[in-house]
Amino acid sequence: MSGVTMNEQLVADGAPQAVSGLYQPRLPRWAPAALALGAAVVAIAIGLGAGLGSRVQWGLLAGVLYVAATFVVAARVEGRRQAKDRLATSLVWVCFLIAVVPLVSLMWETIARGIKVLDGNFLSHSMAGVLTIQPGGGVYHAIIGTLEQVGIATVIAAPIGLLTAIYLVEYGRGRLAKAVTFFVDVMTGIPSIVAGLFVLSFWILMMDNGYSGFAGSMALAILMMPVVVRSTEEMLKLVPNELREASLALGVPKWRTILKVVLPTAIGGIATGVMLAVARIAGESAPIVLLVFGSQLINNNPFEGAQSSLPYYIYEQWAAGNEASYDRAWAAALVLIAFVMILNLVARGIARWKAPRGGRS
């Protein structure tokens, strides 16, 4: 560079001192950990001195101090350019910890409280003949209800959502496709209680059908369909057009190209989207409270009679308002979290299994 040496340019960029050659001062690898520890100690001291009783306030103060200290120290040692990079990195870490702490706290609280009564007897017995104020009883009837209701909702929503997404990506043109896309977007934002009220007014009040697990499944299917449509649509769009064109160039009909080329290529992502949609509806309580009516007994027939489910069981036990019912509610919440976690692991396994060779899982 004409008339300007490298040292002068580094000083202009904010380096604390001129350097020789390509050498520039760098913070040691242990510096971020030391700054974080120092920020935590200072935040605790300030919290104790100022009378801040909440550890959340201590944590937020430590995060602010860590970000500020990182920028100041990096600017003094490495220069302003590198300090800005470290500032962005520290902000990402702080935001990540802010998001993780509530999740870890929730899991810890649920496990600590739910493990008290969670055993084989709890998983294999219902609440038949058990008073809410007494210990004992189980969640078996609610597990059966959840599996049947979620399963029926998946059988209803998955094919409809898959075919709708295929239409929008492969065939959809003009006003009809725009209208379908619009209504899918609207359905994505529908509150779960509205879906429950719709099924209640149509299926139970107008058609004079009784409360049942199937009624709850229809409401869950309404909530599940837009999620399946959106996730499947995005997965189909990721399939390269070259694969479609190569198949069509060989004289393969379009429907067969979709069936034999497009869907197998995107099946991993589609399966993941369906599993995530199932996990979403598994914890819905509002439509279940309106439509399945709840039952203390085991009802294996989702098409007739009241039935329970895990979200309804948790609501029912917590509303009872005594120590024994609280323990059962926490244990059922732990079972529900485990159920959703298993579904997510299954989705990850299917995505990895069906991923194209050499592609990302």
Side-chain angles (χ1 to χ4, degrees), residues 243-302:
L243 296 178
R244 298 180 177 88
E245 293 169 357
S247 178
L248 295 173
L250 294 175
V252 180
K254 187 169 185 177
W255 68 269
R256 195 171 182 86
T257 298
I258 296 172
L259 188 63
K260 296 294 185 178
V261 176
V262 177
L263 288 180
T265 304
I267 190 63
I270 293 173
T272 302
V274 172
M275 287 295 180
L276 293 178
V278 171
R280 180 198 181 280
I281 66 172
E284 288 291 346
S285 59
I288 300 301
V289 171
L290 288 174
L291 301 171
V292 305
F293 203 68
S295 174
Q296 304 291 331
L297 306 176
I298 299 173
N299 181 10
N300 293 321
N301 185 3

Coordinates of all heavy atoms in Angstrom, one line a residue, residues 243-302:
L243 N -33.2 -33.7 -10.9 CA -33.7 -35.1 -10.8 C -35.0 -35.2 -11.5 O -35.3 -36.3 -12.1 CB -33.8 -35.4 -9.3 CG -32.5 -35.4 -8.5 CD1 -32.8 -35.8 -7.0 CD2 -31.6 -36.5 -9.1
R244 N -35.9 -34.3 -11.3 CA -37.2 -34.3 -12.0 C -37.0 -34.3 -13.5 O -37.7 -35.1 -14.2 CB -38.1 -33.1 -11.6 CG -38.4 -33.1 -10.1 CD -39.3 -31.9 -9.8 NE -39.8 -31.8 -8.4 CZ -39.1 -31.2 -7.4 NH1 -37.9 -30.7 -7.7 NH2 -39.6 -31.2 -6.2
E245 N -36.2 -33.4 -14.0 CA -36.0 -33.3 -15.4 C -35.4 -34.5 -16.0 O -35.7 -34.9 -17.1 CB -35.1 -32.0 -15.7 CG -35.8 -30.7 -15.3 CD -34.8 -29.5 -15.4 OE1 -33.6 -29.8 -15.6 OE2 -35.3 -28.4 -15.1
A246 N -34.4 -35.1 -15.3 CA -33.8 -36.4 -15.8 C -34.9 -37.5 -15.9 O -34.9 -38.2 -16.9 CB -32.7 -36.8 -14.9
S247 N -35.7 -37.6 -14.9 CA -36.7 -38.6 -15.0 C -37.8 -38.4 -16.1 O -38.1 -39.3 -16.8 CB -37.5 -38.7 -13.6 OG -38.5 -39.6 -13.6
L248 N -38.2 -37.1 -16.2 CA -39.1 -36.8 -17.3 C -38.5 -36.9 -18.7 O -39.2 -37.3 -19.6 CB -39.6 -35.3 -17.1 CG -40.5 -35.1 -15.8 CD1 -40.8 -33.6 -15.7 CD2 -41.8 -35.9 -15.8
A249 N -37.2 -36.7 -18.8 CA -36.6 -36.8 -20.1 C -36.5 -38.3 -20.5 O -36.4 -38.5 -21.7 CB -35.1 -36.2 -20.0
L250 N -36.5 -39.2 -19.6 CA -36.6 -40.6 -19.9 C -38.0 -41.1 -20.2 O -38.1 -42.3 -20.5 CB -36.0 -41.4 -18.8 CG -34.5 -41.2 -18.5 CD1 -34.1 -41.9 -17.2 CD2 -33.6 -41.6 -19.7
G251 N -38.9 -40.2 -20.2 CA -40.3 -40.6 -20.6 C -41.1 -41.1 -19.4 O -42.2 -41.7 -19.6
V252 N -40.6 -40.9 -18.2 CA -41.4 -41.4 -17.0 C -42.5 -40.4 -16.8 O -42.3 -39.1 -16.8 CB -40.5 -41.4 -15.8 CG1 -41.3 -41.9 -14.6 CG2 -39.3 -42.4 -16.1
P253 N -43.8 -40.8 -16.5 CA -44.9 -39.9 -16.2 C -44.6 -39.1 -15.0 O -43.8 -39.5 -14.1 CB -46.1 -40.8 -16.1 CG -45.7 -42.1 -16.7 CD -44.2 -42.2 -16.6
K254 N -45.2 -37.9 -14.9 CA -44.9 -37.0 -13.8 C -45.3 -37.7 -12.4 O -44.6 -37.5 -11.4 CB -45.7 -35.7 -14.0 CG -45.3 -34.7 -12.9 CD -45.8 -33.3 -13.3 CE -45.3 -32.3 -12.3 NZ -45.7 -30.9 -12.6
W255 N -46.5 -38.4 -12.4 CA -46.9 -38.9 -11.1 C -45.9 -40.0 -10.7 O -45.7 -40.1 -9.5 CB -48.3 -39.6 -11.3 CG -48.4 -40.8 -12.2 CD1 -48.6 -40.8 -13.5 CD2 -48.2 -42.1 -11.8 NE1 -48.6 -42.1 -14.0 CE2 -48.3 -42.9 -12.9 CE3 -47.9 -42.7 -10.6 CZ2 -48.2 -44.3 -12.9 CZ3 -47.8 -44.1 -10.5 CH2 -47.9 -44.9 -11.7
R256 N -45.4 -40.7 -11.6 CA -44.4 -41.8 -11.3 C -43.1 -41.1 -10.8 O -42.4 -41.7 -10.0 CB -44.2 -42.7 -12.4 CG -43.5 -44.0 -12.0 CD -43.5 -45.0 -13.2 NE -42.9 -46.3 -12.8 CZ -43.5 -47.3 -12.1 NH1 -44.8 -47.1 -11.8 NH2 -42.9 -48.4 -11.8
T257 N -42.7 -40.0 -11.5 CA -41.5 -39.3 -11.1 C -41.6 -38.8 -9.6 O -40.7 -38.9 -8.8 CB -41.3 -38.1 -12.0 OG1 -41.1 -38.5 -13.3 CG2 -40.1 -37.2 -11.5
I258 N -42.8 -38.3 -9.3 CA -43.0 -37.8 -7.9 C -42.9 -39.0 -6.9 O -42.3 -38.9 -5.9 CB -44.4 -37.1 -7.8 CG1 -44.4 -35.9 -8.6 CG2 -44.7 -36.8 -6.3 CD1 -45.8 -35.2 -8.7
L259 N -43.5 -40.1 -7.3 CA -43.6 -41.3 -6.4 C -42.3 -42.0 -6.3 O -41.9 -42.4 -5.2 CB -44.6 -42.3 -7.0 CG -45.0 -43.5 -6.1 CD1 -45.6 -43.0 -4.8 CD2 -45.9 -44.4 -6.8
K260 N -41.5 -42.1 -7.4 CA -40.3 -42.9 -7.3 C -39.0 -42.0 -7.2 O -37.9 -42.6 -6.8 CB -40.2 -43.7 -8.6 CG -41.3 -44.7 -8.8 CD -41.1 -45.8 -7.8 CE -42.2 -46.9 -8.0 NZ -42.1 -48.0 -7.0
V261 N -39.0 -40.8 -7.5 CA -37.8 -39.9 -7.4 C -37.9 -38.9 -6.3 O -37.1 -38.8 -5.5 CB -37.6 -39.3 -8.8 CG1 -36.3 -38.4 -8.7 CG2 -37.3 -40.3 -9.9
V262 N -39.0 -38.0 -6.4 CA -39.1 -36.9 -5.5 C -39.3 -37.3 -4.1 O -38.6 -36.9 -3.2 CB -40.2 -35.9 -6.0 CG1 -40.3 -34.8 -5.0 CG2 -39.9 -35.4 -7.4
L263 N -40.3 -38.1 -3.8 CA -40.6 -38.5 -2.5 C -39.5 -39.3 -1.8 O -39.2 -39.1 -0.6 CB -41.9 -39.3 -2.5 CG -43.2 -38.5 -2.7 CD1 -44.4 -39.4 -2.6 CD2 -43.3 -37.4 -1.7
P264 N -38.9 -40.3 -2.5 CA -37.8 -41.0 -1.8 C -36.6 -40.1 -1.5 O -35.9 -40.3 -0.5 CB -37.4 -42.1 -2.9 CG -38.6 -42.3 -3.6 CD -39.3 -41.0 -3.7
T265 N -36.4 -39.1 -2.3 CA -35.3 -38.1 -2.0 C -35.6 -37.3 -0.8 O -34.7 -37.0 0.0 CB -35.0 -37.2 -3.2 OG1 -34.8 -38.0 -4.4 CG2 -33.9 -36.3 -3.0
A266 N -36.8 -36.9 -0.6 CA -37.2 -36.0 0.5 C -37.8 -36.8 1.7 O -38.3 -36.1 2.6 CB -38.2 -35.0 0.0
I267 N -37.8 -38.1 1.7 CA -38.6 -38.9 2.7 C -38.0 -38.6 4.1 O -38.8 -38.6 5.1 CB -38.6 -40.4 2.4 CG1 -39.5 -41.1 3.3 CG2 -37.2 -40.9 2.5 CD1 -41.0 -40.7 3.1
G268 N -36.7 -38.4 4.2 CA -36.1 -38.2 5.6 C -36.7 -36.9 6.2 O -37.1 -36.9 7.4
G269 N -36.7 -35.8 5.4 CA -37.2 -34.6 5.9 C -38.7 -34.6 6.2 O -39.2 -34.0 7.1
I270 N -39.4 -35.3 5.3 CA -40.9 -35.4 5.4 C -41.2 -36.2 6.7 O -42.1 -35.8 7.5 CB -41.5 -36.1 4.2 CG1 -41.4 -35.3 3.0 CG2 -43.0 -36.5 4.5 CD1 -41.8 -35.9 1.7
A271 N -40.5 -37.3 7.0 CA -40.8 -38.1 8.2 C -40.4 -37.3 9.4 O -41.2 -37.3 10.4 CB -39.9 -39.4 8.2
T272 N -39.4 -36.5 9.4 CA -39.0 -35.6 10.5 C -40.1 -34.6 10.8 O -40.5 -34.3 11.9 CB -37.7 -34.9 10.2 OG1 -36.7 -35.9 10.0 CG2 -37.3 -34.0 11.4
G273 N -40.6 -34.0 9.7 CA -41.7 -33.0 9.8 C -43.0 -33.6 10.4 O -43.6 -33.0 11.3
V274 N -43.3 -34.8 10.0 CA -44.5 -35.5 10.5 C -44.3 -35.8 12.0 O -45.2 -35.6 12.8 CB -44.8 -36.8 9.7 CG1 -45.9 -37.6 10.4 CG2 -45.2 -36.4 8.3
M275 N -43.1 -36.3 12.4 CA -42.9 -36.6 13.8 C -42.9 -35.4 14.7 O -43.4 -35.4 15.8 CB -41.5 -37.3 13.9 CG -41.5 -38.7 13.4 SD -42.6 -39.8 14.4 CE -42.3 -41.3 13.6
L276 N -42.4 -34.3 14.2 CA -42.4 -33.0 14.9 C -43.8 -32.5 15.1 O -44.2 -31.9 16.1 CB -41.5 -32.0 14.3 CG -40.0 -32.2 14.3 CD1 -39.3 -31.2 13.5 CD2 -39.5 -32.4 15.7
A277 N -44.7 -32.7 14.0 CA -46.1 -32.3 14.1 C -46.8 -33.2 15.2 O -47.6 -32.7 15.9 CB -46.7 -32.4 12.8
V278 N -46.5 -34.5 15.2 CA -47.0 -35.4 16.2 C -46.6 -34.9 17.6 O -47.4 -34.9 18.5 CB -46.6 -36.8 16.0 CG1 -47.0 -37.7 17.1 CG2 -47.2 -37.3 14.7
A279 N -45.4 -34.6 17.8 CA -44.9 -34.1 19.1 C -45.6 -32.8 19.5 O -45.9 -32.6 20.7 CB -43.4 -33.9 19.0
R280 N -45.9 -32.0 18.5 CA -46.6 -30.7 18.9 C -48.0 -31.0 19.4 O -48.4 -30.4 20.4 CB -46.7 -29.8 17.6 CG -47.4 -28.5 17.9 CD -47.9 -27.9 16.6 NE -48.5 -26.6 16.8 CZ -49.8 -26.4 17.2 NH1 -50.5 -27.5 17.4 NH2 -50.3 -25.2 17.4
I281 N -48.8 -31.9 18.8 CA -50.1 -32.1 19.2 C -50.2 -33.0 20.4 O -51.3 -33.0 21.1 CB -51.0 -32.7 18.1 CG1 -50.5 -34.1 17.7 CG2 -51.0 -31.8 16.9 CD1 -51.4 -34.8 16.7
A282 N -49.2 -33.7 20.7 CA -49.2 -34.7 21.9 C -49.5 -34.0 23.2 O -50.0 -34.5 24.1 CB -47.9 -35.5 21.9
G283 N -49.0 -32.7 23.3 CA -49.2 -32.0 24.5 C -50.4 -31.0 24.6 O -50.5 -30.2 25.5
E284 N -51.2 -31.0 23.5 CA -52.4 -30.1 23.5 C -53.4 -30.5 24.6 O -53.8 -31.7 24.6 CB -53.0 -30.1 22.1 CG -52.2 -29.4 21.1 CD -52.1 -27.9 21.3 OE1 -52.9 -27.4 22.1 OE2 -51.3 -27.2 20.7
S285 N -53.9 -29.6 25.3 CA -54.8 -29.9 26.4 C -56.2 -29.3 26.2 O -57.2 -29.8 26.5 CB -54.3 -29.5 27.8 OG -54.0 -28.1 27.7
A286 N -56.2 -28.1 25.5 CA -57.5 -27.3 25.4 C -58.6 -28.1 24.6 O -59.7 -28.3 25.1 CB -57.2 -26.0 24.8
P287 N -58.3 -28.6 23.4 CA -59.3 -29.4 22.7 C -59.7 -30.7 23.4 O -60.8 -31.2 23.3 CB -58.7 -29.6 21.3 CG -57.2 -29.5 21.5 CD -57.0 -28.5 22.6
I288 N -58.7 -31.3 24.1 CA -58.9 -32.6 24.8 C -59.9 -32.4 25.9 O -60.8 -33.2 26.2 CB -57.6 -33.2 25.2 CG1 -56.7 -33.5 24.0 CG2 -57.9 -34.5 26.0 CD1 -57.3 -34.4 23.0
V289 N -59.7 -31.3 26.7 CA -60.6 -31.0 27.8 C -62.1 -30.8 27.3 O -63.0 -31.3 27.9 CB -60.1 -29.8 28.5 CG1 -61.2 -29.3 29.6 CG2 -58.8 -30.0 29.2
L290 N -62.2 -30.2 26.1 CA -63.6 -30.0 25.6 C -64.2 -31.2 25.0 O -65.4 -31.4 25.1 CB -63.5 -28.9 24.5 CG -63.2 -27.5 24.9 CD1 -63.1 -26.6 23.7 CD2 -64.4 -26.9 25.8
L291 N -63.4 -32.2 24.5 CA -64.0 -33.2 23.6 C -63.9 -34.6 24.2 O -64.8 -35.4 23.8 CB -63.3 -33.1 22.2 CG -63.4 -31.8 21.5 CD1 -62.5 -31.8 20.3 CD2 -64.8 -31.6 21.1
V292 N -63.0 -35.0 25.0 CA -62.9 -36.3 25.4 C -63.5 -36.5 26.8 O -63.8 -37.7 27.2 CB -61.4 -36.8 25.5 CG1 -60.7 -36.7 24.2 CG2 -60.6 -36.1 26.6
F293 N -63.8 -35.4 27.5 CA -64.5 -35.4 28.7 C -63.8 -36.0 29.9 O -64.2 -35.8 31.1 CB -65.9 -36.1 28.5 CG -66.9 -35.7 29.5 CD1 -67.4 -34.4 29.5 CD2 -67.4 -36.5 30.5 CE1 -68.4 -33.9 30.4 CE2 -68.4 -36.1 31.4 CZ -68.8 -34.8 31.4
G294 N -62.8 -36.8 29.7 CA -62.1 -37.4 30.8 C -62.7 -38.6 31.4 O -63.9 -38.8 31.4
S295 N -61.9 -39.6 31.9 CA -62.4 -40.8 32.5 C -61.3 -41.4 33.4 O -60.1 -41.3 33.1 CB -62.8 -41.8 31.4 OG -63.1 -43.1 32.0
Q296 N -61.7 -41.9 34.5 CA -60.8 -42.6 35.5 C -60.6 -44.0 35.1 O -59.7 -44.6 35.7 CB -61.4 -42.5 36.9 CG -61.8 -41.1 37.4 CD -60.5 -40.3 37.6 OE1 -59.5 -40.8 37.9 NE2 -60.7 -39.0 37.5
L297 N -61.4 -44.5 34.2 CA -61.3 -46.0 33.8 C -60.5 -46.1 32.5 O -60.3 -45.2 31.7 CB -62.7 -46.5 33.7 CG -63.6 -46.4 34.9 CD1 -65.0 -46.9 34.5 CD2 -63.0 -47.0 36.1
I298 N -60.1 -47.3 32.2 CA -59.4 -47.7 31.0 C -60.5 -47.8 29.9 O -61.4 -48.7 30.0 CB -58.6 -48.9 31.1 CG1 -57.5 -48.7 32.2 CG2 -58.0 -49.3 29.8 CD1 -56.7 -50.0 32.5
N299 N -60.4 -47.0 28.9 CA -61.3 -47.1 27.7 C -60.4 -47.3 26.5 O -59.8 -46.4 26.0 CB -62.2 -45.9 27.6 CG -63.1 -46.0 26.4 OD1 -63.3 -47.0 25.8 ND2 -63.8 -44.8 26.1
N300 N -60.4 -48.6 26.0 CA -59.6 -48.9 24.8 C -60.3 -48.5 23.5 O -59.7 -48.7 22.4 CB -59.2 -50.4 24.8 CG -58.3 -50.7 25.9 OD1 -57.4 -49.9 26.3 ND2 -58.5 -51.9 26.5
N301 N -61.6 -48.1 23.5 CA -62.3 -47.8 22.3 C -62.4 -46.3 22.1 O -63.1 -45.6 22.8 CB -63.7 -48.4 22.4 CG -64.5 -48.2 21.1 OD1 -64.0 -47.6 20.1 ND2 -65.8 -48.6 21.1
P302 N -61.6 -45.7 21.2 CA -61.6 -44.2 21.1 C -62.9 -43.7 20.4 O -63.0 -42.5 20.4 CB -60.4 -44.0 20.2 CG -60.2 -45.2 19.4 CD -60.7 -46.3 20.3

